[in-house]
Structures are given as C-alpha cells and as structure tokens.
Amino acid sequence: MSEQQVRVRFAPSPTGYLHVGGARTALYCYLYAKRHGGKFILRIEDTDLERSTEEAMRMQIQDLNWLGLHWDEGPHPETLKDMGDYGPYRQSQRKEIYQKYADQLLEQGDAYYCFLSDEEIEAQREQAKKEKRPPQVKSPYRDWTVEKALEFKKTCPTPPVIRFKVKDEKTDYVLQDLVRGDVTFPSDMVGDFVVIRSNGMPVYNFCCVVDDALMKMTHVFRGEDHLSNTLRQIMVYDALNFEKPKFGHLSMILGEDRQKLSKRHGATSVNDFNEKGFLPEAMNNFLALLGWSSPKAQEIITMDELCEQFHHDRLNPASAVFDEKKLTWVNATHLRQLPHAELWNRLQPFFAKAGINLSDDPAWQNKALETMKTSMETLTDAIELFKPLSNEPFKVSDKAAEVLSWETTSAVINKWIELVSAKNELSADDFQEILAQIKTECAVKGKQLFMPIRVAIIGEPQGAEVKLLVPLMAKQELIDRANQCLN
Ligand code: GLU
C-alpha cells in the first residue's frame, strides 16, 4: 500500500489580527507538511457571522504571507479564489455541505431538532449550578422523530437548533495525542451539543469535523485550548463513520508573568512585530522554538533547516514563555547575517515612512550597513541611526544654543573645520586623531570637546554616535555643516 500523503491545515477564524499563537500553529502545520512531503492547506473558519470579517481574513492572509508560510490549497493570497481540489475553503461557502451531514445525523437518530428557548436553557443551567451538576442541557425533544419535529416547527415560535445526541451509555474515549500522549475523556464530560444553530449556521465542532474529513486531513495540530473540543469532534467522526486524523495539541504560550499571552503583554499580533521591525525569518525561528526544540540544539535556525528537522516527537507539552528579549536577540542575529543588498531593501519601507532619504550608491550603502548594523537589533533601529545621514537641509537645533554659547566652542569648531579640510576622506581613526588634536590645541576636554563637535556634525548636542557617522559623510558636507554652526 502506498503511504497516504500528509495533509495538514491551518484553520484560523478571521476575527482579528493573526496572533503569535496562531502563527506558531500555522508554522508547525506548514513545517510538518514540508518535512513529510505533504500539503499545507489554509481553511477559513468564518461561520461566526458576528465576529468574522473579510478584512480580518485579508489581514491574516497578509501576515501568513509575510511569514512565508505559503499554502498549497486554500484561498489565493491575492484574488482569494479557491486553489485546490477540496474547496470551497471558506466555511461560510460550505453551508449546504454541513446541512447534508446534519441531515444524515438526524436520519440516523444521532441528532435531533431542539426547540428549547434561551431562557429555558438558562434556567436549566441555573438549576444544574444549584445542584452542583455540570451544566448540561437536557432536552425534552431528544427522542422526537424528525417528522414530529418538522411538524412542530411549523407552529413553534422558537426556531430549532440541531443538537448532537451524546450516547446514553458512559464510555471512555482515549485520544492518542501526538504531543500529550494518551488523553482519556469520559463521555459524560459533555452533554448534547449544538451542531447547527437556529440561523442555519453550523457550529465549529461540527463543521471542523466535516471539513477535516472531506478535505482528507491526516494531521491536526492546534492549541491545547481545543483539547476539550476534541471529545465532541471524535463523537461526530464516529457517528458519520469518518476516518479520524491524528491530533496534536500544542502547549499554550504564556507571558513573562506566566499568564496566558494577551494584549496586556504588549505586542501579540504578527503585524505588531512586522511594524516593530522584526524579520519574518526571526519570527519563524523564535516561534518554532516556543514549544519545539531542534534535535541539533540550534537556537538560530533557518526555515530550510526547520523544514528538514521538524517532527512532532520534539513538541513539548509544557507551556512556553514568550520572551521578547530572546526574540530581539534572534532578530538581531538574523538581521546581521542578511546580505547587505537584502538588508537595505528591507529597510526601505521604514526609511520611507520616517521620511529618510539616503544615497543610492550601493558602495556607500554597503559601508553604511557595515558600520551601523552592529547597533541594530530591529529594522526600526535604523531610523535613528540613519536620520543624521538623510539628504535634507542641515538644521542646527535650538537645543544646541547653550553649547554654541560656550567661550571655547567657536575655537573648537574652527579647528575642526581646519583639520577636516586637510583630509580627503575621514576614517574612524582619522576622526579620533582629529579629536585628540583639538583637545591639545584648544585645551578643551570632555563636554567642552565632544558637544561642539556633535553639534557641528548632527546639529544636536545629544544623540547619534558621531564616530560612526563621520566616515559615512562627505568632507564638504562636514565642512558646510560646521560653518553653519558658526553663523
Ligand atoms: N478556527 C479554530 C481556531 O481558530 C480552529 C481550531 C482547529 O484548528 O481545529 O481556533
């Protein structure tokens, strides 16, 4: 028998930005598919009409694209048209399919129309709470035939839901989870659950099963928070006689205070990190290690290496802590390894947004990055570093007034002009030498020396490390700027 092709899906609900937890799930699904020569599928779970938006779907698609987690099947990243043989890939377009399987459950007697109103359900919950029982719905419609229910529906003011009938006899379900090992669920953990809402929309636990089965998923990786849903899903698989995929429930991601990672902890969406100047390769590297470890103990790892090494046996069931300092370190490492032409490209949107215009000479860009990249951890760090080099008219800040009023300042700046003029180009060493010379010849030191020089170069008494900037500036520019300070 030929081995079944691995098919793994990422199934986000488009209710907001892609959260880092979702991104990690997507990454693991992608890596698992790649590692096993399989297919990675994107399915949009948008049956919650109140919370799902087209805009959120587009944003999530953009974020997945930015991470480079390209899917083989699902909505096309630009046109959103279905790619693949198992579509539609948006659940909101699969309503008839779910209805067909709900009808099958009704016919088999594994589901029933339930006419309980919200108030009646609430009253049952209250009662169960009082009696310290789990709040499971006991429906008087459970044993009605479909015919009787359809007849009643004609006159009943409450539109019915379709409820799955959990078997009366108690059994233990054992899930062989790829991450957590055997997990046992007693069947009475759940009561009869809704599969189709009264507005005709299916409920997650139902459509997820129908889709995973019809789309021939072999593996389902998702957050541990879905573990309790899995029991309901197994019941639906069994009732519909569908083959089950293998499940792996991933550990939670916690903030540094060991609480579930949320907005309170600061940036939590992939888009936040994109805007903060993190690189997708660093994000993938960092997220991969939140709950998985490389068999070669690599802390810095490329996407190709991840695709080669990823397997579920190294997924860790213990919660992982999201450590932004580590992410920053991973990012700095990847950033400094990028070829300069590539790094320059990645910086362009950040420079453009900050209104920074720089030389288009590749040799200059190369030299500038060589000097500056060791001071950069994220792409946004480049903004402050490069601002003084922007091709804009030089301005002396008001903050420089005090420094310019010191008695010794004009002598220092004049000497600076004289010594710079005598050179062709200024290396970092030349700059140090010139400073030493000014120190002796003008008999100044400390603040009296450094602040006037900084003002002469960047127009500000505080800020950028001028010794990095000087070798990147034309001699004439340095002289012009210094002269402007003397006026
Ligand atoms: N739409 C669900 C979510 O976003 C998917 C869960 C699953 O992978 O089954 O949490």
Side-chain angles (χ1 to χ4, degrees):
M1 204 181 80
S2 71
E3 235 188 84
Q4 201 182 10
Q5 184 184 48
V6 165
R7 292 176 57 82
V8 197
R9 88 306 193 271
F10 176 55
S13 303
T15 54
Y17 279 111
L18 181 65
H19 183 267
V20 286
R24 186 195 59 172
T25 303
L27 173 66
Y28 288 174
C29 293
Y30 172 88
L31 293 175
Y32 195 85
K34 293 293 145 191
R35 158 79 197 263
H36 295 89
K39 293 266 191 272
F40 174 54
I41 296 114
L42 176 65
R43 182 174 74 226
I44 306 293
E45 302 211 322
D46 56 352
T47 55
D48 184 344
L49 298 178
E50 270 150 41
R51 297 179 60 227
S52 305
T53 65
E54 174 100 6
E55 154 141 39
M57 176 179 77
R58 283 184 186 276
M59 286 183 324
Q60 297 206 9
I61 282 184
Q62 217 177 53
D63 292 339
L64 290 168
N65 249 330
W66 177 73
L67 288 168
L69 305 180
H70 303 300
W71 47 101
D72 304 294
E73 293 174 28
H76 183 280
E78 265 125 46
T79 64
L80 304 182
K81 287 213 182 81
D82 280 330
M83 314 181 292
D85 297 335
Y86 297 87
Y89 292 92
R90 287 168 71 173
Q91 291 188 326
S92 57
Q93 297 170 357
R94 299 172 63 82
K95 262 175 78 178
E96 291 81 47
I97 305 175
Y98 306 128
Q99 190 58 51
K100 181 180 143 209
Y101 286 96
D103 289 342
Q104 185 184 327
L105 291 179
L106 286 167
E107 273 159 40
Q108 291 173 189
D110 285 314
Y112 58 92
Y113 286 106
C114 175
F115 296 88
L116 283 174
S117 64
D118 291 346
E119 294 74 35
E120 288 171 308
I121 292 174
E122 197 40 45
Q124 283 200 13
R125 288 224 169 93
E126 285 300 314
Q127 190 59 28
K129 223 160 113 189
K130 267 195 216 137
E131 293 170 20
K132 299 205 162 41
R133 283 188 285 110
Q136 292 174 357
V137 171
K138 300 265 181 264
S139 174
Y141 308 98
R142 196 170 200 260
D143 297 316
W144 281 24
T145 61
V146 177
E147 292 70 32
K148 185 172 172 189
L150 288 177
E151 205 41 50
F152 184 65
K153 192 177 161 196
K154 288 184 194 154
T155 53
C156 178
T158 314
V161 299
I162 301 179
R163 246 178 228 287
F164 186 88
K165 201 188 276 181
V166 173
K167 297 234 177 329
D168 287 325
E169 65 276 18
K170 189 183 162 213
T171 32
D172 279 348
Y173 285 78
V174 181
L175 168 72
Q176 287 160 338
D177 192 87
L178 293 173
V179 183
R180 331 193 84 74
D182 285 359
V183 184
T184 305
F185 304 105
S187 61
D188 61 357
M189 249 176 77
V190 297
D192 292 354
F193 53 92
V194 176
V195 291
I196 305 272
R197 295 188 183 92
S198 56
N199 65 2
M201 287 312 270
V203 168
Y204 158 71
N205 276 316
F206 178 59
C207 39
C208 175
V209 170
V210 172
D211 290 347
D212 283 340
L214 298 185
M215 296 181 180
K216 299 210 162 49
M217 298 306 166
T218 57
H219 296 78
V220 168
F221 291 101
R222 60 185 171 203
E224 187 191 1
D225 47 336
H226 284 290
L227 198 54
S228 61
N229 286 321
T230 309
L231 172 58
R232 293 183 184 87
Q233 296 185 11
I234 291 174
M235 291 176 176
V236 178
Y237 276 103
D238 289 345
L240 291 173
N241 207 12
F242 283 149
E243 201 179 318
K244 290 189 249 333
K246 293 198 167 69
F247 292 97
H249 287 91
L250 308 168
S251 60
M252 288 285 99
I253 303 182
L254 307 179
E256 283 178 57
D257 55 359
R258 301 219 136 243
Q259 299 299 311
K260 194 175 165 196
L261 191 68
S262 74
K263 286 234 162 59
R264 269 184 317 107
H265 294 99
T268 49
S269 80
V270 169
N271 187 58
D272 288 337
F273 288 101
N274 179 356
E275 286 181 354
K276 283 170 77 171
F278 287 86
L279 304 173
E281 46 273 73
M283 246 9 248
N284 285 327
N285 178 157
F286 172 75
L287 291 175
L289 299 179
L290 275 184
W292 174 84
S293 56
S294 149
K296 298 184 183 168
Q298 280 173 262
E299 286 290 316
I300 295 296
I301 188 159
T302 65
M303 203 59 173
D304 286 344
E305 290 167 323
L306 283 170
C307 288
E308 248 166 60
Q309 296 179 19
F310 189 82
H311 193 60
H312 63 74
D313 56 358
R314 298 188 70 87
L315 285 169
N316 187 345
S319 307
V321 173
F322 191 94
D323 173 359
E324 200 168 324
K325 276 194 220 82
K326 179 170 174 191
L327 169 60
T328 306
W329 169 77
V330 171
N331 198 66
T333 311
H334 281 277
L335 184 149
R336 290 169 198 165
Q337 281 172 0
L338 281 180
H340 287 175
E342 177 60 24
L343 177 53
W344 193 257
N345 276 340
R346 307 258 192 128
L347 289 168
Q348 292 322 296
F350 293 89
F351 287 153
K353 204 163 159 207
I356 296 174
N357 294 304
L358 299 163
S359 162
D360 47 21
D361 171 15
W364 182 85
Q365 293 166 359
N366 189 43
K367 185 172 165 196
L369 287 178
E370 194 55 55
T371 315
M372 298 297 194
K373 71 176 182 183
T374 46
S375 311
M376 285 163 59
E377 292 181 316
T378 64
L379 296 173
T380 41
D381 289 341
I383 295 173
E384 285 308 309
L385 292 167
F386 280 86
K387 211 185 253 164
L389 297 169
S390 184
N391 304 329
E392 269 167 55
F394 176 68
K395 278 204 293 287
V396 184
S397 153
D398 293 343
K399 287 186 228 142
E402 197 206 318
V403 175
L404 291 173
S405 72
W406 294 339
E407 245 183 77
T408 44
T409 295
S410 69
V412 168
I413 297 184
N414 274 314
K415 194 77 199 158
W416 162 248
I417 296 174
E418 181 196 318
L419 296 173
V420 170
S421 305
K423 295 270 180 196
N424 284 329
E425 264 185 0
L426 252 74
S427 67
D429 288 346
D430 293 334
F431 178 63
Q432 295 302 353
E433 263 171 42
I434 290 179
L435 282 187
Q437 226 172 318
I438 300 174
K439 188 176 173 188
T440 358
E441 293 186 24
C442 299
V444 284
K445 58 179 185 197
K447 257 165 66 168
Q448 248 82 32
L449 170 62
F450 297 115
M451 286 202 168
I453 296 293
R454 186 176 284 122
V455 170
I457 298 168
I458 61 168
E460 303 265 355
Q462 237 95 48
E465 262 219 79
V466 284
K467 76 167 186 291
L468 298 182
L469 297 174
V470 165
L472 296 169
M473 291 170 69
K475 167 178 155 181
Q476 197 52 48
E477 175 72 18
L478 287 170
I479 296 170
D480 291 347
R481 287 186 179 195
N483 273 320
Q484 222 173 300
C485 299
L486 293 176
N487 291 334

